[in-house]
Amino acid sequence: MNQLITHFFITLFLSSVSHAAMDPNSIYQSFINCPNLTSSIIYSPTLNSTNYTTVLQTYIKNQRFNTTSTPKPILIITPTTIPQIQSTIICAKKLNIQIKTRSGGHDYEGISYVSSEPDFIILDMFNFRSIDVNISDETAVVGAGAQLGELYYRIYEKSKVHGFPAGVCPTVGVGGHFSGGGYGTMLRKYGLSVDHVTDFKMVDVNGNVLDRRSGGEDLFWAVRGGGGGSFGVILSYSIKLVSVPLVNTVFRVMKTQGENAAEILNKWQKVMPGVDDRLFIRVLLQPVTVNKKKIGRATFIAHFLGNSDELVELMSDKLPELGVTKDDCIELNWIQSVLYWTNFDVNTTSPEILLNRHSDSVNFGKRKSDYVQNVISETDMTSIMNKLVELGKLGFVFNPYGGKMYNISADATPFPHRAGNLFKIQYSVNWNDDDPKLEANYLNQSRVMYEFMTPFVSKNPRGAYLNYRDLDIGVVSGDRKNSYSEGLVYGEKYFMGNFERLVKIKTVVDPENFFRNEQSIPVLAGEAAGETETSGKFRKMMK
């Protein structure tokens, strides 16, 4: 059915439907009666509850949001065609029901499938996971519902010397990962995932299918790191592949406080920004128990785009304190390096495991983030490690910058954290017990440590990474009356100087703020309820 005709019939149908009370059965019936939507893709907690629960829980990646008290969607819709997505958006808009769009479900605060608003639906994109790799022109088109592991495997199927710079967790959804920036072990060589996005396909609030040409360069800029769920429903991304060598090298070396971990970390901070950009060394900083005593330990995990002889020579020159030898190194191809960083045994695990959309274990967790712009002294690093030991459970992940990240301007994409940052910190705590007291304790540990780190991290504003979603740094309230002022609080942390441009683009493409979540991009102050002059022009252009 032609897109405009579809829009007409949906509008005609819904014009006769008043805003009924949010009863699941009546809402279900309203969506069933919308063009293109059928019972086979709509799940209700009252009418097909078993299937509803299965679909809901399949892509919940944080058990904190899988409890009896967790707010549940009034419906889940699992589209298989673009017209079904168009109909879902238009029907939900007319019925004034919030849409949460889920691709992989890895968002740390669960905002793709949980809402602070009383009534919402989930648009689950897992059927949109096609991946078309074209090695001849080194490109691929990947559906928003595909996972990173699937993308890596499909590239590997066709080439052993191509890859893509994205995350180390294979079950992360492409839609969410790219929309927040996306990075992995090739960060210093190739930058972010969004730095290699060349086009997109999206359904906007009016049911229009847009791409880079029809949506314009502003919208293309916004969807490459401006956050998922703010501008529309992303269908796919077009990406440019990158070159990888036949031989890659990895190592994992651990140093405790008694083995000069603080001294080595101090040197690591100074060396990494300017070291060979083929090298990425992540540090895990955590409390461990050795001989019944808790101490701090730093684990250095490396990925080098080259052979072990080169790597050992490089480490001996730049960071000899770590003591890396050839025995510490493992040579492998790029897809095996993906397995290694996912903690699979590279000797016994086939790359086909990357096609398993549920290869990870799901537990309880909390994340926060920071950026470090000045070297933390050995003394201060010791105090940081001592604080982690005192708290007992929380750990850090340090991700080094430099290389390509310093060569791309802060406003090239919405992701602003480029030159000037030495490394990014992820605060990480996981647990498996559903005891509420434990959860309260671990959440408190993350907040106490965040406060403790204030002197050592970026300021004015204190930066944060969108894909390490953290509702502690600010949310938009349910009534949306103060969405701009509330959004400014977290928006400047995530996007810094790019926030205002994102707000202007949002106001044009979605002036009534239909696509929203607890930390979405707001519209310009005072314009959420009506149409702006610029948005009016945009709508005329779209017609």
Side-chain angles (χ1 to χ4, degrees), residues 292-310:
K292 299 182 179 180
K293 180 182 179 182
K294 275 209 168 180
I295 58 172
R297 184 180 72 189
T299 303
F300 297 80
I301 313 172
H303 180 196
F304 179 63
L305 297 168
N307 64 47
S308 59
D309 288 333
E310 285 185 285

Side-chain angles (χ1 to χ4, degrees), residues 210-402:
L210 305 178
D211 57 14
R212 183 173 183 174
R213 182 190 62 80
S214 60
E217 290 300 305
D218 276 345
L219 184 57
F220 175 61
W221 178 84
V223 300
R224 290 178 297 142
S230 286
F231 302 97
V233 176
I234 296 292
L235 304 174
S236 64
Y237 285 101
S238 298
I239 60 175
K240 189 73 174 176
L241 307 183
V242 301
S243 299
V244 295
L246 285 171
V247 178
N248 296 247
T249 306
V250 297
F251 70 68
R252 182 184 299 257
V253 174
M254 300 179 183
K255 297 292 183 180
T256 64
Q257 284 180 280
E259 297 169 314
N260 299 320
E263 175 190 351
I264 298 170
L265 281 169
N266 179 255
K267 180 74 175 289
W268 172 87
Q269 297 173 77
K270 299 172 182 177
V271 166
M272 287 307 299
V275 78
D276 189 320
D277 62 13
R278 295 176 296 165
L279 177 62
F280 180 88
I281 304 178
R282 167 179 284 182
V283 179
L284 307 182
L285 199 61
Q286 58 198 142
V288 295
T289 301
V290 177
N291 295 326
K292 299 182 179 180
K293 180 182 179 182
K294 275 209 168 180
I295 58 172
R297 184 180 72 189
T299 303
F300 297 80
I301 313 172
H303 180 196
F304 179 63
L305 297 168
N307 64 47
S308 59
D309 288 333
E310 285 185 285
L311 179 55
V312 170
E313 182 179 354
L314 180 62
M315 294 301 297
S316 298
D317 178 41
K318 299 297 184 181
L319 195 57
E321 295 84 352
L322 192 55
V324 175
T325 68
K326 188 151 184 172
D327 289 341
D328 296 314
C329 299
I330 304 172
E331 290 187 342
L332 26 68
N333 60 32
W334 180 74
I335 203 69
Q336 288 176 316
S337 77
V338 171
L339 297 176
Y340 179 87
W341 274 80
T342 313
N343 295 319
F344 289 123
D345 185 335
V346 295
N347 296 313
T348 61
T349 307
S350 167
E352 279 75 15
I353 190 68
L354 298 174
L355 299 177
N356 181 351
R357 293 172 65 86
H358 305 286
S359 60
D360 56 338
S361 59
V362 178
N363 53 22
F364 300 80
K366 171 66 180 177
R367 300 292 188 272
K368 299 176 80 67
S369 62
D370 262 317
Y371 287 89
V372 174
Q373 298 175 333
N374 297 295
V375 173
I376 300 174
S377 70
E378 181 180 339
T379 300
D380 287 334
M381 193 62 75
T382 297
S383 70
I384 290 170
M385 296 178 77
N386 288 341
K387 187 65 176 179
L388 290 175
V389 170
E390 174 192 325
L391 292 173
K393 182 68 173 177
L394 182 79
F396 278 155
V397 182
F398 293 169
N399 295 287
Y401 265 40

Side-chain angles (χ1 to χ4, degrees), residues 51-67:
N51 291 335
Y52 166 93
T53 300
T54 299
V55 173
L56 175 62
Q57 294 183 346
T58 294
Y59 292 104
I60 291 179
K61 299 297 184 179
N62 190 341
Q63 293 290 2
R64 283 175 57 208
F65 309 107
N66 191 23
T67 69

Side-chain angles (χ1 to χ4, degrees), residues 14-241:
L14 287 172
S15 65
S16 63
V17 179
S18 62
H19 293 308
M22 295 302 182
D23 170 65
N25 293 343
S26 63
I27 295 300
Y28 178 89
Q29 195 60 48
S30 295
F31 275 93
I32 283 291
N33 290 331
C34 286
N36 304 310
L37 300 184
T38 66
S39 59
S40 63
I41 64 166
I42 303 179
Y43 299 87
S44 163
T46 57
L47 300 178
N48 48 7
S49 60
T50 300
N51 291 335
Y52 166 93
T53 300
T54 299
V55 173
L56 175 62
Q57 294 183 346
T58 294
Y59 292 104
I60 291 179
K61 299 297 184 179
N62 190 341
Q63 293 290 2
R64 283 175 57 208
F65 309 107
N66 191 23
T67 69
T68 55
S69 61
T70 301
K72 306 296 192 299
I74 202 165
L75 292 178
I76 304 171
I77 300 178
T78 59
T80 59
T81 68
I82 294 175
Q84 289 171 347
I85 294 175
Q86 294 170 304
S87 292
T88 299
I89 292 171
I90 295 168
C91 289
K93 183 181 178 184
K94 291 293 182 179
L95 293 168
N96 195 28
I97 298 178
Q98 181 189 32
I99 286 180
K100 289 296 188 91
T101 306
R102 182 165 72 172
S103 58
H106 266 275
D107 48 329
Y108 287 132
E109 298 282 20
I111 64 170
S112 65
Y113 53 88
V114 177
S115 179
S116 57
E117 297 189 25
D119 299 292
F120 67 102
I121 67 172
I122 293 175
L123 186 63
D124 208 319
M125 297 294 291
F126 63 80
N127 288 314
F128 279 74
R129 58 177 187 261
S130 64
I131 301 170
D132 182 17
V133 177
N134 188 332
I135 293 299
S136 64
D137 63 4
E138 299 181 310
T139 64
V141 178
V142 53
Q147 294 183 346
L148 297 182
E150 294 173 307
L151 173 61
Y152 297 154
Y153 184 82
R154 296 308 176 196
I155 296 171
Y156 159 78
E157 267 187 324
K158 296 190 174 182
S159 171
K160 304 303 181 283
V161 291
H162 287 86
F164 191 74
V168 301
C169 180
T171 60
V172 166
V174 164
H177 190 66
F178 288 9
S179 66
Y183 80 97
T185 65
M186 295 193 287
L187 171 78
R188 302 185 64 260
K189 177 66 175 176
Y190 290 117
L192 304 174
S193 302
V194 292
D195 297 330
H196 302 270
V197 171
T198 60
D199 209 337
F200 71 102
K201 185 175 287 187
M202 183 192 90
V203 181
D204 75 359
V205 69
N206 298 309
N208 301 302
V209 179
L210 305 178
D211 57 14
R212 183 173 183 174
R213 182 190 62 80
S214 60
E217 290 300 305
D218 276 345
L219 184 57
F220 175 61
W221 178 84
V223 300
R224 290 178 297 142
S230 286
F231 302 97
V233 176
I234 296 292
L235 304 174
S236 64
Y237 285 101
S238 298
I239 60 175
K240 189 73 174 176
L241 307 183

